[in-house]
Amino acid sequence: MGLLDKMKAKLGPAKDKAVGLAKEHEEKIDHGLDKVARTVDQKTKGKYSEKIQSGTGRAKEGLHKFAGKDDGTGGTQGTDDTGTPPAPGAGGPPAG
């Protein structure tokens, strides 16, 4: 077993715990990101509002991805709103 394999084996449980905590507290983390964004926007008097909104959105996307959720804006290419691949001939790639 190489060094990299040993590191992965030790970090696996830590990652699983972090994912579990992110899932459990996702709503609180979302709220905290919004609160921080508002505070920073107020402190900068709106000068960086666009960048703050963009950064907050990216942080939330990362949180949802890390927690194992997808809001439907990415990662579902080739599926419909239910996550099911389209039927052949229903606008999807040709069958065969």
Side-chain angles (χ1 to χ4, degrees):
M1 183 180 261
L3 178 64
L4 187 57
D5 292 330
K6 288 180 185 177
M7 300 262 310
K8 283 182 182 180
K10 290 187 182 214
L11 290 176
K15 180 186 177 199
D16 293 341
K17 186 169 184 173
V19 169
L21 288 170
K23 284 181 183 179
E24 184 179 343
H25 300 288
E26 189 171 5
E27 194 172 308
K28 289 180 182 178
I29 297 169
D30 254 359
H31 179 71
L33 287 169
D34 288 334
K35 188 174 180 180
V36 167
R38 276 192 308 273
T39 302
V40 171
D41 196 34
Q42 288 172 350
K43 295 287 183 180
T44 60
K45 298 178 181 160
K47 186 175 180 181
Y48 302 103
S49 290
E50 225 175 272
K51 292 185 183 292
I52 292 167
Q53 287 177 354
S54 174
T56 303
R58 286 178 182 239
K60 286 183 177 186
E61 286 175 18
L63 169 65
H64 298 306
K65 183 177 178 182
F66 185 70
K69 295 183 181 176
D70 189 359
D71 62 1
T73 59
T76 57
Q77 186 175 4
T79 61
D80 62 13
D81 291 339
T82 63
T84 307

